[in-house]
Amino acid sequence: MRSSRIGGMMLAAASLWGMASASARAGDITFWTWRQEDRAAFAELFADFTKANPDIHVKFEAFAPANYNTIVSAALAAGHGGDVLGVRAYGGLEQLATAGYLKPLDAKTVPELANLPAEALAAESVRADHRVYAVAFASQTLGLLINKDIFAKAGVTPPTDWAGFLAACAKLKAAGVIPIANGTATGWMDEVMAGIFTGPFLGNGFMQDVVAGRATFADPRYVAALGHLLELRPFMPPGYTGIDYPTAQQLFLSGRAAMFAGGSFEIANFRKQNPKLALDFIAPPAPKAGEPQYVSKFFDGGYAVNAKSAHGADALKLVRWMGTTAYADKFSSLLGNISPIKGVTISDPLLAKVAKLNEVSVPYVMAVYFRYETPTGSELLQNGLQRMMAGSETPAQLGAEVTAGIAKYYKPFQKK
Amino acid sequence: MSGAGGRARTSRLWLAFLLAPGLVVMTMFVVWPLLSAFRYAFYGFHGLVPAGFVGLANFRDVLFAAPFSAMTLRAFEHNLIVFAALMAGQNGLAYLIAFALLKTLPGHRLHQVIIFLPVVLSAVIVGFLWQLFLNPLFGLVNQALLLAGIQGPPWLGDSTTALGSLIFTNAWHWIGFPALIFLAGMQRISRETLEAARLDGANDRALLRRIIWPLVAPSTTIVVVLTFIGSFNWFELPYIMTGLNGDPGGATDVLGLYFYRTAFGGVSSGLQDFGHGSALAVLMFLFIASVSAIVLRVLRRREIEA
């Protein structure tokens, strides 16, 4: 009698457990991303998709950016996860793709890949076999966001060369504003800032040399470029080593600082936070007047199909649609990001300007080439930059340190 | 079904039924992860899937191969500093506070609450709060210093003050806990003992050193062991206040952050590397478990002597 009662309770517990796992409708697919802020825009985008594909409904699920990689890889390892996944580019993508978690895409399954430029395809491919695993969604441009009002009030025109830039900073400082909002307390922002200001000094020649193994980061060109960053210190906020990313943003948004060295991904956010801000985006200064003002460029991430998706065909349809100009146009206008899809119309004048700046660009070197193995170039550089900007390390030491770290897995650096 | 045999079987069934959920949860969430971390530590990784047995290579890398070895050593040193500073600063002060509370001076109940209050806050709140307080431009601390005519440093951005700021915040957050344990230990000492010592002419200092200190030995054991484990598993506070990389320039990097960053990758800069991460986790576990065991043995012996 008693044992049958125990059995009954176990049965009840088991059935409750079973009911807890929700059942999904056929034709329902899920979309995973780390961009919680995009929810409203995607509601609109997915409504368009469902209009064209009435039997497919897409559910938007976002996770905290700091834990997104961990959540996705854990879910995929267990055979779960969204049907369509927002994935990072370069090394982050390669980790998921080589593990076999993502469905490879080709011209036959996703003819829309033809809409993407070669560098966008490369960003979402595995280096070993050049197979594409995701449709890139945005290119990001790194440059200077400036407050036009402050510049006008101080009587400063946006500088185009290094000497002019330092003079402009001095003038802004004399006018009582912080010339550059950036601090060094947030590691990834240091890498962004270094990318922006060293880009024009390095140019594509240096980048090609590094990729071909002809130069390392101990190269005099790179060390000299890092040295220029030290000249910016007087124009950063007081106590800049303790200024983190959110503080720097607030300094710029509140009009206490004239410039913010950052990415095009800030534009939409800055406008939302301070709609009255007279925002402009300019390229960093060239070494000398008349030389090219390279911005740094990289691809943010892409849309991939979960290899274990139970709705593979529907997921593929969604990814194909995300490779069309119709999607790209709306994506760019709703989210203020630059879609890499060829023939995209960018209606916003500032974004269109950024897209134009992209024509004179260098790759954001660590993200594009050295985030594939540990320790990544980014990790090494970010930590070292903080020390260099604080004065406890020289540019030459930093260059040597980054080179030695990367040499652990990158053969061309081992010989040097 | 009846009789003693039936009843015994039923009670055994009940026992199994009641134990099973706990056992399953323990196995799934404690034993299994521990064992799998142990196993992964011996594997190389190709992306996110184990690529093959590599023996002790991961351990060799994190302990002896550049640049990992330098990071491991740096993080370990920081943990040691944290432990020493918390023992001396946080727990030393807690001991004195406990004694002050023991004397039941006027208002001691209110003070007891005030001192214990931060302990109930979550580390996330405390970390965030102090990060704001220590902000070089808007922060409360530097604004207050400015009133006194002092330009404070960027506390969390300066490699000489960052770790100290974190330790201070930790002490602010946790000091009520050792104080409470010490106070409980002191309250267990019989009033006669203390009064006898007083009659023999012992002042506060002598009382604290000669009488109370040996008699609160069990409390000391708990405080030392918990502080040791806490210091070497330190994660939340540095993660919130100075980030996963132990900014600035690794000045606040500790084993917990280093392990997380290695195993799961940074926000945008790192990759997931379960092999090396697991090796670190295993080393941390072995170190903490063995040292805790030794410390416990030594301190327990001291309790008995006392």
Side-chain angles (χ1 to χ4, degrees):
Chain A
M1 265 184 319
R2 279 253 183 97
S3 24
S4 70
R5 205 191 302 161
I6 299 169
M9 280 175 74
M10 280 174 135
L11 201 70
S15 58
L16 269 174
W17 181 275
M19 267 164 23
S21 62
S23 61
R25 276 182 294 167
D28 269 7
I29 57 175
T30 50
F31 170 72
W32 279 21
T33 176
W34 63 86
R35 294 177 56 94
Q36 170 68 35
E37 63 273 28
D38 294 356
R39 184 177 289 274
F42 271 100
E44 214 172 300
L45 286 164
F46 289 150
D48 283 4
F49 175 71
T50 303
K51 217 178 278 167
N53 302 273
D55 45 344
I56 311 174
H57 298 266
V58 190
K59 208 171 137 218
F60 179 94
E61 288 179 8
F63 302 91
N67 302 322
Y68 186 73
N69 296 354
T70 315
I71 292 168
V72 167
S73 55
L76 292 176
H80 301 299
D83 299 294
V84 174
L85 304 160
V87 292
R88 315 267 184 191
Y90 311 109
L93 172 96
E94 194 166 283
Q95 272 204 318
L96 293 175
T98 47
Y101 294 152
L102 308 178
K103 203 182 173 83
L105 312 175
D106 56 41
K108 211 185 278 171
T109 53
V110 183
E112 288 75 13
L113 288 183
N115 296 343
L116 289 151
E119 49 177 351
L121 291 174
E124 301 295 346
S125 312
V126 167
R127 291 168 304 165
D129 58 5
H130 300 293
R131 283 175 101 169
V132 181
Y133 286 85
V135 171
F137 61 71
S139 72
Q140 298 297 352
T141 308
L142 304 179
L144 300 173
L145 294 119
I146 66 170
N147 184 329
K148 283 190 284 192
D149 286 347
I150 295 183
F151 270 72
K153 213 181 274 172
V156 181
T157 46
T160 54
D161 64 345
W162 188 253
F165 183 79
L166 294 181
C169 283
K171 212 165 167 188
L172 286 164
K173 195 175 177 181
V177 286
I178 299 167
I180 305 167
N182 300 59
T184 63
T186 303
W188 68 266
M189 274 306 289
D190 299 339
E191 189 188 351
V192 166
M193 190 174 161
I196 291 167
F197 287 108
T198 60
F201 284 100
L202 297 168
N204 276 308
F206 173 77
M207 303 297 177
Q208 281 155 10
D209 283 355
V210 162
V211 175
R214 287 190 297 266
T216 70
F217 291 105
D219 190 283
R221 284 173 287 175
Y222 193 72
V223 172
L226 286 179
H228 287 296
L229 292 176
L230 297 177
E231 298 168 39
L232 300 175
R233 292 188 295 182
F235 305 117
M236 290 163 74
Y240 62 89
T241 54
I243 301 289
D244 58 4
Y245 175 53
T247 308
Q249 285 182 316
Q250 290 314 313
L251 285 176
F252 181 70
L253 286 169
S254 63
R256 285 184 62 180
M259 289 182 268
F260 182 92
S264 48
F265 48 85
E266 306 283 4
I267 294 175
N269 175 33
F270 280 2
R271 279 179 173 164
K272 205 186 294 168
Q273 290 204 45
N274 183 0
K276 286 191 208 133
L277 190 74
L279 190 66
D280 198 5
F281 191 99
I282 62 170
K288 290 198 183 72
E291 287 177 341
Q293 290 176 265
Y294 293 104
V295 292
S296 293
K297 184 174 146 192
F298 66 101
F299 291 89
D300 220 4
Y303 305 122
V305 177
N306 183 343
K308 294 226 179 82
S309 167
H311 311 95
D314 290 349
L316 207 59
K317 263 187 207 161
L318 179 61
V319 168
R320 282 190 58 181
W321 177 71
M322 288 168 141
T324 61
T325 43
Y327 174 81
D329 290 350
K330 200 154 186 182
F331 170 87
S332 289
S333 76
L334 284 179
L335 293 170
N337 269 288
I338 298 167
S339 166
I341 305 282
K342 289 178 203 163
V344 60
T345 319
I346 294 172
S347 45
D348 182 90
L350 186 54
L351 274 190
K353 182 183 173 188
V354 176
K356 183 94 182 128
L357 290 177
N358 274 342
E359 289 165 16
V360 185
S361 66
V362 288
Y364 185 42
V365 61
M366 295 303 182
V368 175
Y369 301 116
F370 297 102
R371 273 192 199 164
Y372 287 91
E373 270 145 297
T374 50
T376 63
S378 296
E379 284 173 274
L380 295 161
L381 182 64
Q382 290 176 11
N383 254 290
L385 278 170
Q386 287 178 332
R387 289 192 291 268
M388 186 187 88
M389 293 303 273
S392 61
E393 197 168 300
T394 65
Q397 280 173 324
L398 173 54
E401 202 177 275
V402 171
T403 306
I406 293 175
K408 194 167 159 42
Y409 51 84
Y410 187 56
K411 288 239 161 56
F413 281 14
Q414 287 164 5
K415 288 172 271 167
K416 314 249 168 181
Chain B
M1 205 188 290
S2 63
R7 209 171 301 140
R9 217 181 84 186
T10 318
S11 76
R12 264 206 303 278
L13 256 172
W14 264 113
L15 266 179
F17 174 63
L18 292 173
L19 281 177
L23 213 61
V24 167
V25 169
M26 269 296 274
T27 317
M28 265 172 67
F29 294 105
V30 181
V31 181
W32 172 246
L34 263 175
L35 289 178
S36 65
F38 198 73
R39 190 171 65 94
Y40 282 161
F42 296 93
Y43 280 83
F45 275 77
H46 187 59
L48 300 168
V49 274
F53 187 75
V54 293
L56 293 171
N58 290 332
F59 292 95
R60 201 183 53 217
D61 279 353
V62 295
L63 287 178
F64 305 112
F68 296 114
S69 57
M71 287 194 237
T72 311
L73 189 68
R74 183 180 68 189
F76 181 71
E77 280 170 4
H78 289 158
N79 281 111
L80 276 181
I81 293 171
V82 169
F83 174 62
L86 287 180
M87 277 307 294
Q90 172 186 300
N91 299 342
L93 195 61
Y95 182 69
L96 296 178
I97 288 172
F99 182 63
L101 290 173
L102 184 74
K103 294 176 106 178
T104 57
L105 301 168
H108 74 281
R109 288 231 173 268
L110 181 69
H111 278 93
Q112 204 167 320
V113 171
I114 290 171
I115 283 158
F116 196 72
L117 205 61
V119 177
V120 296
L121 296 175
S122 90
V124 181
I125 295 171
V126 172
F128 192 67
L129 207 64
W130 276 95
Q131 196 185 23
L132 286 179
F133 287 171
L134 295 171
N135 185 299
L137 290 181
F138 319 120
L140 196 70
V141 176
N142 279 7
Q143 299 275 8
L145 285 176
L146 214 56
L147 288 180
I150 305 166
Q151 177 63 54
W155 298 98
L156 294 171
D158 190 323
S159 57
T160 54
T161 54
L163 190 63
S165 304
L166 290 185
I167 292 169
F168 171 82
T169 307
N170 192 84
W172 181 88
H173 184 196
W174 281 110
I175 197 162
F177 189 67
L180 203 73
I181 294 178
F182 280 129
L183 182 62
M186 289 175 190
Q187 283 169 342
R188 267 181 35 200
I189 302 169
S190 69
R191 208 149 270 284
E192 290 83 25
T193 315
L194 295 178
E195 272 162 19
R198 284 273 189 223
L199 283 176
D200 286 341
N203 57 9
D204 277 356
R205 215 187 133 123
L207 204 64
L208 268 174
R209 280 185 58 190
R210 303 262 169 77
I211 312 292
I212 296 178
W213 179 241
L215 287 174
V216 295
S219 308
T220 313
T221 309
I222 297 171
V223 169
V224 171
V225 172
L226 287 183
T227 306
F228 176 76
I229 295 174
S231 311
F232 279 85
N233 277 333
W234 216 33
F235 178 77
E236 293 100 327
L237 212 57
Y239 178 68
I240 294 153
M241 293 179 71
T242 53
L244 206 47
N245 295 323
D247 295 329
T252 59
D253 197 17
V254 287
L255 288 171
L257 291 179
Y258 177 45
F259 153 72
Y260 188 94
R261 200 169 65 226
T262 309
F264 301 115
V267 179
S268 66
S269 58
L271 292 171
Q272 306 187 7
D273 179 358
F274 293 143
H276 289 116
S278 299
L280 273 172
V282 168
L283 287 173
M284 277 170 71
F285 174 75
L286 291 179
F287 176 78
I288 293 172
S290 54
V291 175
S292 300
I294 294 167
V295 169
L296 212 57
R297 258 183 88 102
V298 172
L299 292 178
R300 281 257 186 269
R301 201 171 302 150
R302 186 173 152 266
E303 284 172 30
I304 295 160
E305 279 165 9

